[in-house]
């Protein structure tokens, strides 16, 4: 696994440009760009910038998935889909057929299974054993979680399923999340992190401290990039 750490004083622009560059390579090589979006707050301005600088991208050949989703309706302010719709899908006029939304509003187990079934079907249509993202965006929480893989939760140990419902005791709620088997299949994984948050945690995670889920992502045949925004 190739890993690079990019420290940027122009985080939003550099992150958006990185995504655009990955899109252009994937479209040139495979005529499609498969990207998984991360949630939370950090990516919002990056998605808005991507919508602004990616106007000429053939969005109908970009396919969006979500690395995780909260168990809420798509109009809930907690919804990762809602954040992406407001910052990217609407401004860039992304066609609905290019977006695979996790149905956070239904039973978590069913939502996870139907999402995994959808990815399995897309992979089979391409003759792949498992759906391979060109790029998976991830964030890092203050406890070192990524996607909805939180420390001490069951999903961390999942070795077979690609998308699961994961109970998160600290929030007393369910989340739907990619698992490491799916994340590690990506051609490229990119963490988008505000480097000023929890410098000590970031140092431990970049040092490979596996008590933190963010340190356990290891693309099997892919690259890993950390883009750290510095004030
Ligand atoms: C979510 C995200 C989550 C996020 C981290 C960091 O659904 O919340 O997928 O993994 O990336 O919590 O969030 P911030 O970028 O807001 O710090």
């Amino acid at each position: 696994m190739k890993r690079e750490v990019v420290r940027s004083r122009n985080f939003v622009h550099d992150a958006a440009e990185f995504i655009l560059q990955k899109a252009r390579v994937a479209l040139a090589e495979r005529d499609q760009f498969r990207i998984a979006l991360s949630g939370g707050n950090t990516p919002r301005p990056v998605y808005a910038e991507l919508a602004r600088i990616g106007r000429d991208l053939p969005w109908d050949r970009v396919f969006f998935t979500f690395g995780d989703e909260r168990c809420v309706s798509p109009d809930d302010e907690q919804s990762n889909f809602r954040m992406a719709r407001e910052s990217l899908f609407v401004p860039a006029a992304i066609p609905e057929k290019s977006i695979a939304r996790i149905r956070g509003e239904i039973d978590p187990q069913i939502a996870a299974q139907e999402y995994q079934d959808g990815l399995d079907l897309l992979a089979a249509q391409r003759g792949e054993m498992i759906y391979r993202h060109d790029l998976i965006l991830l964030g890092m929480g203050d406890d070192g979680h990524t996607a909805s893989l939180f420390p001490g939760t069951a999903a961390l140990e999942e070795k077979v399923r690609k998308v699961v419902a994961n109970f998160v005791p600290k929030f007393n709620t369910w989340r739907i999340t990619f698992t490491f088997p799916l994340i590690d299949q990506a051609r490229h994984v990119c963490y988008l992190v505000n480097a000023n948050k929890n410098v000590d945690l970031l140092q431990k995670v970049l040092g490979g401290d596996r008590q933190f889920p963010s340190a356990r992502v290891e693309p099997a045949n892919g690259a890993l990039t950390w883009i750290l925004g510095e004030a």
Side-chain angles (χ1 to χ4, degrees):
M1 169 191 76
K2 185 167 82 72
R3 188 186 91 167
E4 64 171 341
V5 178
V6 175
R7 294 181 182 279
S8 166
R9 291 183 180 278
N10 196 359
F11 173 74
V12 169
H13 177 78
D14 289 347
E17 278 292 345
F18 175 88
I19 297 167
L20 206 51
Q21 191 264 337
K22 291 297 164 194
R24 292 201 169 108
V25 169
L27 288 163
E29 291 179 357
R30 290 174 295 278
D31 199 30
Q32 189 187 40
F33 179 48
R34 300 173 165 186
I35 178 173
L37 300 179
S38 67
N41 302 310
T42 302
R44 183 188 284 267
V46 176
Y47 298 163
E49 177 73 357
L50 182 61
R52 193 179 69 78
I53 66 175
R55 291 195 191 290
D56 66 338
L57 216 57
W59 290 110
D60 60 326
R61 295 213 300 279
V62 178
F63 193 70
F64 291 91
T65 54
F66 287 82
D68 73 320
E69 185 54 282
R70 290 82 180 278
C71 289
V72 296
S73 82
D75 297 317
D76 188 296
E77 62 180 13
Q78 284 295 314
S79 164
N80 289 337
F81 169 81
R82 175 176 164 177
M83 183 270 282
R85 180 178 61 196
E86 292 171 348
S87 56
L88 176 57
F89 298 159
V90 169
I94 307 284
E96 214 167 297
K97 70 179 177 65
S98 290
I99 303 163
R101 181 176 73 84
I102 298 174
R103 290 204 298 160
E105 68 275 23
I106 67 171
D107 173 86
Q109 309 292 346
I110 296 173
Q113 186 61 56
E114 80 170 9
Y115 206 73
Q116 174 169 295
D117 291 347
L119 295 181
D120 286 347
L121 178 61
L122 290 168
Q125 287 168 345
R126 269 209 166 171
E128 297 169 342
M129 286 297 289
I130 180 171
Y131 188 88
R132 193 163 193 220
H133 287 85
D134 295 301
L135 177 63
I136 294 181
L137 300 177
L138 293 175
M140 183 184 74
D142 290 339
D143 57 2
H145 80 263
T146 192
S148 284
L149 299 166
F150 286 81
T153 59
L156 293 178
E157 306 316 320
E158 180 61 45
K159 298 286 185 277
V160 177
R161 290 177 296 166
K162 302 118 186 172
V163 185
V164 297
N166 192 32
F167 185 72
V168 184
K170 74 183 285 188
F171 298 138
N172 189 32
T173 183
W174 288 89
R175 292 275 189 99
I176 314 292
T177 186
F178 281 6
T179 60
F180 289 121
L182 182 58
I183 293 170
D184 289 345
Q185 275 298 313
R187 287 186 173 84
H188 211 124
V189 176
C190 180
Y191 278 91
L192 301 179
V193 178
N194 176 340
N196 303 308
K197 84 191 286 187
N198 213 324
V199 175
D200 180 51
L201 168 67
L202 196 53
Q203 198 168 8
K204 286 176 181 168
V205 168
L206 292 176
D209 187 338
R210 293 175 67 84
Q211 71 173 301
F212 304 110
S214 291
R216 293 174 52 175
V217 168
E218 296 171 334
N221 298 297
L224 175 61
T225 298
W226 286 76
I227 300 181
L228 306 178
E230 302 197 320

